[in-house]
Amino acid sequence: MQDFLDNFANWQSLLRVYPLLLQGLIYTVWLAVVALPLGILAGLAIAVLYSFKNRWVNIALLIYIDVFRSFPVVVLLILIFYGMPFLGLTLGGFTAAVLAIVLNNSGYYGEIFRAGIESVPLGQREAALAVGLRPLQAIFLVILPQAISRVLAPLASNSLELVKTTSIASLVALPELLRSARVAQEQTYNPTPLTAAAILFFVLLWPFARWVAKLERDMIVRQR
């Protein structure tokens, strides 16, 4: 037991490197704060465009969704960060990580929003148009509020996964939490910083995970 504590819960090692872990936590939160709304907005735009039932637009959207959902987000990040410079475009680690996360998750968000929109009875849109609303007004004022309430659980679940995905930024040496913990481990020759990073991830995400679980239970109850 003492060997375990010395290696994975060494307070002296932790006190030496906690500023580094704090910096990593800030980067992780900042990545999530930037990537999450961008991914949601991109997915919402995909679903709204799809709802207009233009054949060629919908084909293009389905290709976009299939392509970026088929690539692991790690592969996307590598292609963007290391491949784009060969095309004359060099992105910083933060921008590349955000772009990879958004491209990957926008497809998932798009499918979730699309399912929500299609679950709303067609009569709702027809009634909105009948009272004089324009198509976009009908979607944003009548259809979307109902659609979002029907798919709130999967939206929240995907958002939770997105936050966890921010750890991929360590591949491009961005000092997010996982990268900072690895650097701290190298400085202390002790894995305690990795233990601390795991605990920080848990403290950060556990309340969100419990909320997602509650939403999923509520959704099951409503469907009965």
Side-chain angles (χ1 to χ4, degrees), residues 6-8 10-21 180-195:
D6 289 341
N7 282 281
F8 294 96
N10 189 306
W11 288 105
Q12 290 182 341
S13 298
L14 187 59
L15 289 174
R16 286 175 53 193
V17 297
Y18 81 88
L20 194 58
L21 294 176
S180 297
R182 287 176 174 173
V183 172
Q185 180 188 13
E186 293 170 0
Q187 292 180 359
T188 60
Y189 303 100
N190 188 285
T192 297
L194 293 176
T195 303

Side-chain angles (χ1 to χ4, degrees), residues 68 71 74-93 95-100 103 172:
F68 288 112
F71 275 106
V74 173
V75 175
L76 274 178
L77 177 58
I78 292 172
L79 290 175
I80 291 169
F81 187 75
Y82 295 105
M84 295 297 284
F86 290 96
L87 300 177
L89 179 61
T90 301
L91 300 177
T95 304
V98 169
L99 182 58
L103 287 175
V172 292

Side-chain angles (χ1 to χ4, degrees), residues 74-218:
V74 173
V75 175
L76 274 178
L77 177 58
I78 292 172
L79 290 175
I80 291 169
F81 187 75
Y82 295 105
M84 295 297 284
F86 290 96
L87 300 177
L89 179 61
T90 301
L91 300 177
F94 185 89
T95 304
V98 169
L99 182 58
I101 293 170
V102 169
L103 287 175
N104 180 258
N105 281 272
S106 62
Y108 291 100
Y109 281 122
E111 286 293 275
I112 293 170
F113 279 120
R114 182 168 72 91
I117 289 173
E118 292 183 351
S119 72
V120 177
L122 184 60
Q124 294 287 319
R125 180 177 300 191
E126 293 173 346
L129 296 175
V131 298
L133 293 180
R134 295 180 180 181
L136 272 179
Q137 289 177 319
I139 290 175
F140 282 100
L141 298 178
V142 178
I143 306 300
L144 270 180
Q146 299 179 65
I148 291 173
S149 68
R150 294 167 184 244
V151 295
L152 188 56
L155 283 174
S157 180
N158 196 75
S159 298
L160 178 62
E161 294 301 317
L162 183 150
V163 176
K164 290 190 286 186
T165 304
T166 57
S167 61
I168 66 163
S170 62
L171 291 176
V172 292
L174 193 71
E176 49 74 58
L177 185 53
L178 180 59
R179 171 70 179 178
S180 297
R182 287 176 174 173
V183 172
Q185 180 188 13
E186 293 170 0
Q187 292 180 359
T188 60
Y189 303 100
N190 188 285
T192 297
L194 293 176
T195 303
I199 293 172
L200 287 172
F201 268 118
F202 177 80
V203 171
L204 181 66
L205 296 177
W206 182 76
F208 196 14
R210 296 310 307 154
W211 179 59
V212 170
K214 181 180 183 302
L215 290 175
E216 291 172 343
R217 289 195 300 270
D218 293 344

